[in-house]
Amino acid sequence: MAKQRKIIHVDMDAFFASVEQRDFPELRGKPVIVGGQPNSRGVVAACSYEARKFGIHSAMASSRAYRLCPEAIFVRPRFEAYREVSQQIRDIFWRYASEVEPLSLDEAYLDVTFTESFNGSATLIAKAIKKEILAETGLTASAGVSYNKFLAKIASDMDKPNGLFLIRPEQGQAFVNQLAIGKFHGIGPATEAKMKNFGIHTGDDLRQKTLDELTESFGKSGQYYFNIARAIDERPVRSKRLRKSLGKETTFAEDITSLEELTQILYGLAEQVLNGLQTQQLQARTITVKVKYADFQQVTRAQTIDTAITLSILKTWLPQLLQRTDAGKKPVRLVGVSLSGFDLPQPNQSAQPQLNFT
């Protein structure tokens, strides 16, 4: 009989801001915002828990964050420092996990199904990882422990900061039933609003919908929603992820309204992306143009073709995709180009095994 999987999701607490407070003691206990300066067009990359009390969060415009908390201390990101700490943390993960799947610098999934430390207790393993992270980096992390990635991810948010939350296999369904739909990982604000229009407010509401109903309303995502409503998530923890797209974008110091100027910028970005693909020996079939307007609304326009994309093909399609947006009518603050639909062999899907969580 296959073992029940044991998955840990580790999420560093206010990572960038915590590194700054660790390295600069004068910042400790104060509202710290890592990102753009308040008089710039920048955004908040991360903020300390002291700043979060004022309603500040990542991706918020720095100018708005300043209005919410004028006494906040704004610091520029030091990504080299964050990457160095992130590598320290990943080294700790590999002491315990057979598979580590980083999601970003500050979070990762760990598969500890076959780890023998602590008699195979996933909870004790998570405690040990948190203890070692604190000892070696001076930073705290929160961890979620469960039998699949979906529940482990949600669990890590349940007891922040410096928390540890366990969802046992026999608790999974009841936990999902009472969970507000907006708390589901993978359901953003737009989907949440759509679900509420369908009378779906909790996991239990979602479980009442048939697969056909969910597929009709949400397309391919319907199967995922059907499964997670039943606390099912068979996705394996993968140490190596296949790249699905490659892109480049740029934010302007001043908004641009000229279609011609925006097109030329897209050409330059596309050439960089194409060079990146050639370096990795990849060929793409889908072109996507991203436009963010001055009011922060964002749209994408894509085109898939039946041949490998070349520079001449890009120069044909980029203006057409741009014309499908309101660029030229509305001022634009950011544009981007990404290429996807790579011609790659599909990896073998090895079956994941399904012990002691306490």
Side-chain angles (χ1 to χ4, degrees):
M1 180 178 175
K3 286 184 179 180
Q4 176 73 56
R5 290 196 301 162
K6 296 179 295 179
I7 310 298
I8 302 172
H9 180 261
V10 179
D11 191 8
M12 299 301 296
D13 299 322
F15 183 51
F16 295 175
S18 294
V19 173
E20 298 299 332
Q21 290 179 317
R22 180 198 70 175
D23 293 351
F24 303 97
E26 65 272 20
L27 298 178
R28 294 173 189 171
K30 297 179 180 178
V32 174
I33 294 174
V34 179
Q37 295 299 300
N39 58 352
S40 73
R41 296 166 59 90
V43 297
V44 176
C47 61
S48 67
Y49 283 95
E50 294 87 354
R52 295 183 188 189
K53 293 175 183 176
F54 293 87
I56 297 167
H57 55 79
S58 61
M60 174 183 284
S62 296
S63 55
R64 173 162 170 72
Y66 176 76
R67 289 195 297 273
L68 290 173
C69 183
E71 62 267 40
I73 301 170
F74 288 78
V75 299
R76 297 186 185 281
R78 297 182 300 132
F79 288 108
E80 280 306 314
Y82 311 148
R83 277 192 282 268
E84 183 179 338
V85 179
S86 180
Q87 188 56 57
Q88 282 182 275
I89 295 164
R90 289 181 191 177
D91 289 343
I92 294 170
F93 293 160
W94 280 112
R95 296 171 194 169
Y96 295 94
S98 59
E99 298 285 343
V100 176
E101 181 180 330
L103 301 179
S104 60
L105 290 177
D106 64 341
E107 63 174 318
Y109 289 112
L110 288 67
D111 191 326
V112 295
T113 306
F114 298 105
T115 301
E116 296 180 357
S117 305
F118 302 100
N119 293 319
S121 166
T123 302
L124 292 180
I125 292 168
K127 285 182 178 179
I129 289 170
K130 281 165 48 64
K131 184 177 180 179
E132 290 192 30
I133 289 173
L134 180 61
E136 296 183 28
T137 72
L139 303 173
T140 63
S142 294
V145 180
S146 198
Y147 58 96
N148 63 42
K149 291 168 78 170
F150 171 71
L151 289 173
K153 170 76 172 175
I154 291 176
S156 68
D157 279 333
M158 298 300 294
D159 189 24
K160 273 186 160 287
N162 197 22
L164 174 59
F165 195 87
L166 165 68
I167 303 174
R168 302 171 187 269
E170 66 271 18
Q171 297 170 325
Q173 187 62 69
F175 181 87
V176 170
N177 285 350
Q178 56 79 39
L179 195 66
I181 206 68
K183 297 288 187 182
F184 277 57
H185 177 56
I187 294 181
T191 304
E192 178 187 2
K194 186 174 180 180
M195 285 196 171
K196 286 182 175 178
N197 286 336
F198 281 101
I200 302 172
H201 299 271
T202 66
D204 191 46
D205 295 334
L206 182 60
R207 194 164 60 97
Q208 304 310 313
K209 302 296 181 181
T210 67
L211 178 58
D212 286 344
E213 288 174 322
L214 291 174
T215 303
E216 184 178 346
S217 299
F218 301 100
K220 291 180 180 178
S221 298
Q223 180 70 65
Y224 173 72
Y225 299 147
F226 182 84
N227 287 343
I228 59 175
R230 288 154 180 79
I232 297 169
D233 181 5
E234 299 294 345
R235 293 174 301 158
V237 176
R238 293 194 182 281
S239 300
K240 293 183 179 179
R241 300 171 114 186
L242 283 174
R243 180 181 283 280
K244 294 182 179 179
S245 67
L246 188 67
K248 194 83 173 174
E249 61 184 42
T250 184
T251 301
F252 312 126
E254 295 182 3
D255 299 331
I256 296 178
T257 55
S258 165
L259 269 179
E260 184 178 347
E261 187 176 354
L262 291 169
T263 301
Q264 292 303 316
I265 292 168
L266 286 175
Y267 287 162
L269 294 173
E271 195 162 357
Q272 293 178 58
V273 176
L274 203 58
N275 288 338
L277 285 190
Q278 291 169 350
T279 299
Q280 297 183 41
Q281 298 183 316
L282 296 172
Q283 292 185 325
R285 296 180 184 274
T286 299
I287 310 164
T288 303
V289 167
K290 174 181 175 181
V291 173
K292 184 182 287 186
Y293 305 116
D295 60 5
F296 285 87
Q297 286 191 324
Q298 179 178 301
V299 296
T300 58
R301 298 292 183 263
Q303 182 67 43
T304 299
I305 59 177
D306 56 9
T307 60
I309 292 168
T310 62
L311 188 57
S312 61
I313 289 173
L314 284 168
K315 289 193 172 183
T316 298
W317 278 105
L318 288 175
Q320 296 183 47
L321 292 172
L322 189 61
Q323 286 169 4
R324 295 182 195 171
T325 73
D326 287 331
K329 301 172 187 175
K330 296 172 63 174
V332 173
R333 62 177 281 121
L334 172 152
V335 292
V337 179
S338 63
L339 300 179
S340 57
F342 300 146
D343 292 332
L344 284 172
Q346 293 300 308
N348 291 328
Q349 299 282 338
S350 57
Q352 285 286 314
Q354 289 210 331
L355 229 214
N356 172 23
F357 272 83
T358 56

